[in-house]
Amino acid sequence: MILISVQDIIKGFGAHEVLKGVSFSLQKGEKMGLVGVNGCGKTTLMRIITGEVEADGGMIHKNKDLRIGYLAQVDDIALTDTVWGALLRVFEPVIAMENRLRELEHQMEINSDPEAALKLTADYQRLLDRFNEAEGYAYQGEMLGVLNGLGLKPEMHDRLVGTLSGGERTRLSLAKLLLQKPDIILMDEPTNHLDLAAIEWLQEYLTEYKGSLLLISHDRYFLDHVCNTMGEILGGKMIKFTGNYTEYMRKRTADFETRMKAYNLQQKEIEREKAIIERYRSFNREKSIKAAESRQKRLDKIELLEKPVEEHQVHFSFDARRRSGEDALEVKDLKKTFDGQPVFENISFKMRTGDRVALIGPNGVGKSTLFKILVNHLAPDKGSVKFGTNIDLGYYDQHQQELNPNNTVLDEVWNSFPTMEQHKVRGALGMFLFSGDDVFDTISSLSGGERGRVALTKLMLKRDNLLLLDEPTNHLDMDSREVLEDALQDFPGTILAISHDRYFINRFADRVMVMNADGVTEYLGNFDDYIEKRDRPVPPVAAAGDGVTKTAILRERKRDRKQSAFIRELKAAVKKAEEAIEANEQRIAELEAILADPATYNDNDKALRIGEEYRAEQEKTDALYEALEAAELAVEEAEGE
């Protein structure tokens, strides 16, 4: 069933037409990823669908009573609410039903009018059915689960929204949206401001979500695991593909080649027809002129194919000017503190030439600090760093702090390679889409993605054999990321990369190192291999070197530490359910005592009312025990991980 149908949407800003006739439909249960280069109109299209922006042309048809939830790039939570209070607003109808149930229970206790008692009992049962259908006994557990999954811990629940950071408020907006459970969720970059654990939780939640989804994201791994269709905005039009991101990339290439082949064949046929027409006309005879006119009419009726549009792509490769020895890098017992506060300790690992290692870990654990120690920008408080023979170290800084903001793009690269001829420097910059007068723009005027391309140009020209890459895919569009990954696959040297881009890690890494404050743990394989091993109760792969072995032991002792807060919350939910069951059972015992008293049956209306209440309490007990069983099962699963 089609929930939303978008037909020929047009939208421009001034003289610039962004959307030039976008058409697509979203089916019930469909989860569609929306991709395209920055500025192509993805967010504009989403805001048109929600009604925030008016289209210049076209139509949008929505099912009657369709509930749409929209996560924008800015939040809409009242600053005076607490975190918990903001989410309680989602359940105001359920809370109102709960309060009304308590009122009805009280009225049934004090009312002695048999006819009124029957009406109260009937009203109570109808409301209780609605309350159970809305899973009214579970809403607080849902709130706890979503808040914890998105990294908003119990100590934050009483904080005012106005005191939260921008990222925390975005996560709260996301929690509110998920708890509303709309028919269609529209999300614009939902993984921004989320750490890896929260992204994994959201990914699983959306995979299991029964509704439909329209999602803008640069996280290709997220798109791969959540979406079953993909829509690409290209040249102001929409091209839709079935399958996830990986299938879309494969089909997109094949589709482009097919459409380009068809276009070229049609162009050749048109040129052939034009040549025949000209030849007929050159005979200058009545019969040949009529034949030429007849062919021209047929040619004019041909439906011309549009030339397929392909965005400009970066084209580059990495090479090494010399081969290093077998051992590339050894890090032993590194420790670093700032202002007396420890950042990390016991950091030990080895890398051999040709290794491709992804370094991951929670934000703030010191991954970028470790890189600055490796490139000698910072000194460790303890430990040593030893590079192998003939190592040439290349460093990509995600913040591009080594770029001079006052330089032009051309000068920034040329100053680093003064002996290189200008046309070769400009040729290298051309590979990264800096052409013509673009090379005279100052570094300070560039976007984050453009500065990243300048840094990659310099890194490519250096031809180092050990690359330290700190979040190299940040600010790059999807096509540039794909090209970077292709270049790294062909690189003959050694790579150590910090990244939150799980798709990127899958494509380049043969080892994953998880960094924590007390050391690193190593896993053989790419990101998917790491997830599989992490989620199984098996010890991680121990690398060569005493430091890594000690780290593995430390990590084993502190295993599941990150689960402890979640387990505490689940146990609190279990306790609440147990308390509710205890109160319910106490009331049932009281009612049973009343029903066991023969005097009760002297008043038929009272006996009927007590019997109805007794049955209602028994039904409530079943729902409470189901909630308790679910909470206990969640605790067992969490403790078993």
Side-chain angles (χ1 to χ4, degrees):
M1 180 174 66
I2 295 176
L3 301 183
I4 293 180
S5 177
V6 176
Q7 297 178 353
D8 296 320
I9 290 296
I10 298 170
K11 182 63 182 177
F13 297 95
H16 179 51
E17 195 173 47
V18 179
L19 304 176
K20 304 175 183 178
V22 170
S23 298
F24 72 97
S25 62
L26 192 68
Q27 304 273 349
K28 184 177 181 180
E30 182 178 353
K31 295 170 183 176
M32 178 177 170
L34 192 58
V35 296
V37 298
N38 293 339
C40 71
K42 301 186 294 293
T43 298
T44 299
L45 175 61
M46 193 169 276
R47 294 178 67 192
I48 289 172
I49 293 172
T50 63
E52 287 188 15
V53 172
E54 187 175 345
D56 298 333
M59 295 288 294
I60 295 179
H61 301 282
K62 303 174 186 176
N63 267 17
K64 187 179 179 182
D65 300 324
L66 186 69
R67 295 181 303 119
I68 298 178
Y70 177 39
L71 180 73
Q73 291 174 326
V74 292
D75 61 80
D76 59 351
I77 305 287
L79 302 181
T80 53
D81 277 343
T82 64
V83 168
W84 189 258
L87 294 193
L88 278 177
R89 292 184 182 277
V90 175
F91 296 98
E92 284 176 347
V94 173
I95 294 170
M97 281 193 284
E98 189 175 33
N99 292 335
R100 179 59 181 158
L101 285 171
R102 301 291 84 80
E103 291 175 9
L104 290 172
E105 288 168 0
H106 177 67
Q107 290 177 28
M108 286 190 295
E109 287 177 5
I110 64 174
N111 197 297
S112 58
D113 182 356
E115 188 173 334
L118 282 173
K119 184 179 184 307
L120 286 171
T121 301
D123 290 346
Y124 182 86
Q125 187 59 53
R126 283 194 297 270
L127 187 58
L128 183 63
D129 290 342
R130 286 174 52 205
F131 187 72
N132 288 332
E133 185 179 345
E135 298 181 341
Y137 293 107
Y139 73 88
Q140 292 197 29
E142 276 191 85
M143 289 168 61
L144 282 171
V146 171
L147 286 170
N148 182 76
L150 295 175
L152 298 170
K153 301 302 181 183
E155 57 268 23
M156 299 178 64
H157 294 179
D158 293 329
R159 283 179 57 184
L160 292 177
V161 174
T163 67
L164 301 179
S165 68
E168 289 167 342
R169 282 163 57 184
T170 299
R171 281 182 273 159
L172 183 59
S173 291
L174 177 55
K176 180 181 176 182
L177 174 62
L178 297 179
L179 290 170
Q180 289 171 338
K181 298 179 182 176
D183 300 314
I184 297 178
I185 294 179
L186 276 62
M187 290 181 158
D188 193 346
E189 298 292 355
T191 59
N192 286 359
H193 308 293
L194 298 184
D195 59 19
L196 191 56
I199 291 173
E200 288 184 26
W201 180 89
L202 178 62
Q203 180 179 296
E204 183 175 352
Y205 184 97
L206 292 177
T207 301
E208 299 298 325
Y209 187 67
K210 302 302 182 185
S212 300
L213 178 67
L214 183 60
L215 168 67
I216 298 172
S217 180
H218 285 85
D219 188 332
R220 297 166 295 167
Y221 192 92
F222 193 80
L223 292 170
D224 234 11
H225 287 73
V226 172
C227 297
N228 50 33
T229 60
M230 296 293 299
E232 180 184 20
I233 298 181
L234 186 62
K237 299 289 185 72
M238 167 81 81
I239 305 174
K240 190 173 178 181
F241 300 85
T242 57
N244 62 9
Y245 177 82
T246 298
E247 292 171 342
Y248 145 73
M249 286 300 296
R250 177 177 56 79
K251 291 178 179 178
R252 173 207 199 195
T253 302
D255 176 75
F256 177 83
E257 291 174 352
T258 299
R259 288 187 295 121
M260 182 58 80
K261 184 177 181 180
Y263 172 80
N264 289 332
L265 285 173
Q266 187 184 63
Q267 290 298 307
K268 286 182 180 178
E269 180 61 21
I270 290 172
E271 291 302 318
R272 190 181 74 84
E273 281 293 322
K274 286 181 177 179
I276 292 172
I277 291 169
E278 286 301 316
R279 190 164 64 250
Y280 280 172
R281 283 176 176 162
S282 68
F283 294 155
N284 201 22
R285 297 174 185 170
E286 183 178 353
K287 187 175 181 180
S288 62
I289 290 174
K290 286 183 178 180
E293 290 174 349
S294 176
R295 281 183 172 267
Q296 185 64 54
K297 287 179 181 178
R298 288 204 305 269
L299 184 60
D300 292 340
K301 291 179 181 178
I302 291 178
E303 185 177 347
L304 296 177
L305 299 175
E306 289 188 23
K307 185 176 182 179
V309 178
E310 187 172 39
E311 301 289 350
H312 294 299
Q313 289 188 5
V314 173
H315 297 282
F316 67 98
S317 61
F318 288 111
D319 197 5
R321 60 181 176 272
R322 60 176 178 172
R323 178 174 174 80
S324 62
E326 289 301 315
D327 295 323
L329 172 63
E330 181 177 9
V331 173
K332 203 165 186 180
D333 291 328
L334 281 190
K335 178 181 179 180
K336 184 62 183 176
T337 61
F338 287 113
D339 299 325
Q341 296 296 317
V343 179
F344 55 72
E345 59 184 350
N346 301 319
I347 302 297
S348 298
F349 60 90
K350 286 183 177 180
M351 293 183 65
R352 295 175 67 84
T353 293
D355 282 352
R356 294 153 183 274
V357 180
L359 181 65
I360 66 174
N363 293 336
V365 78
K367 300 185 294 293
S368 294
T369 300
L370 171 62
F371 268 31
K372 289 176 181 177
I373 291 173
L374 296 181
V375 298
N376 206 27
H377 289 178
L378 288 174
D381 298 325
K382 179 187 174 184
S384 63
V385 175
K386 181 181 178 182
F387 291 101
T389 306
N390 293 332
I391 285 294
D392 301 312
L393 187 61
Y395 173 46
Y396 177 90
D397 175 13
Q398 64 167 316
H399 302 295
Q400 288 92 44
Q401 292 178 344
E402 294 186 345
L403 301 182
N404 186 334
N406 299 318
N407 277 343
T408 65
V409 171
L410 179 61
D411 288 340
E412 178 64 32
V413 177
W414 206 358
N415 289 350
S416 298
F417 304 93
T419 61
M420 187 176 289
E421 296 175 358
Q422 187 187 98
H423 74 274
K424 291 185 178 179
V425 176
R426 296 193 66 157
L429 285 168
M431 294 182 184
F432 290 85
L433 307 184
F434 293 104
S435 58
D437 291 341
D438 294 342
V439 301
F440 301 116
D441 292 340
T442 59
I443 298 297
S444 60
S445 69
L446 302 181
S447 67
E450 289 167 335
R451 287 196 298 271
R453 298 206 306 268
V454 173
L456 284 173
T457 305
K458 295 173 67 175
L459 191 63
M460 177 192 73
L461 292 173
K462 282 185 67 183
R463 299 174 63 210
D464 297 314
N465 53 29
L466 172 56
L467 301 182
L468 301 183
L469 309 176
D470 189 354
E471 298 289 1
T473 61
N474 278 8
H475 307 299
L476 295 182
D477 61 45
M478 288 183 169
D479 286 340
S480 296
R481 294 179 187 191
E482 296 279 345
V483 175
L484 173 62
E485 289 153 5
D486 290 339
L488 291 178
Q489 284 183 337
D490 296 331
F491 176 58
T494 308
I495 304 169
L496 176 60
I498 299 169
S499 183
H500 287 87
D501 187 336
R502 298 166 294 170
Y503 197 93
F504 170 71
I505 295 172
N506 261 356
R507 288 203 60 189
F508 96 90
D510 54 28
R511 198 159 95 230
V512 174
M513 290 198 306
V514 183
M515 183 173 173
N516 282 285
D518 54 5
V520 295
T521 307
E522 302 196 27
Y523 298 81
L524 291 177
N526 61 14
F527 188 84
D528 283 342
D529 297 322
Y530 152 68
I531 289 294
E532 181 183 355
K533 292 169 184 174
R534 183 201 64 181
D535 291 344
R536 288 186 314 190
V538 296
V541 175
D546 294 337
V548 174
T549 303
K550 285 190 291 184
T551 298
I553 293 171
L554 287 169
R555 290 291 295 136
E556 184 69 15
R557 289 175 183 169
K558 297 182 180 181
R559 188 166 52 107
D560 296 330
R561 182 173 57 190
K562 66 180 180 180
Q563 291 283 351
S564 60
F566 184 37
I567 292 172
R568 284 197 300 271
E569 292 166 13
L570 290 175
K571 287 182 177 178
V574 170
K575 186 177 179 182
K576 285 185 179 180
E578 289 173 341
E579 290 171 352
I581 289 172
E582 183 179 351
N584 179 253
E585 289 178 339
Q586 183 178 346
R587 180 59 182 159
I588 287 175
E590 293 170 358
L591 293 171
E592 286 176 342
I594 296 172
L595 290 170
D597 185 358
T600 301
Y601 300 94
N602 293 333
D603 185 343
N604 288 336
D605 292 331
K606 179 182 178 181
L608 180 61
R609 177 173 58 82
I610 296 299
E612 289 290 340
E613 184 180 355
Y614 179 71
R615 283 190 290 275
E617 288 294 333
Q618 284 184 316
E619 291 178 3
K620 186 190 297 185
T621 302
D622 292 338
L624 287 171
Y625 270 107
E626 288 177 4
L628 175 62
E629 183 180 359
E632 288 177 335
L633 180 61
V635 171
E636 291 175 5
E637 290 176 348
E639 289 181 331
E641 289 183 359

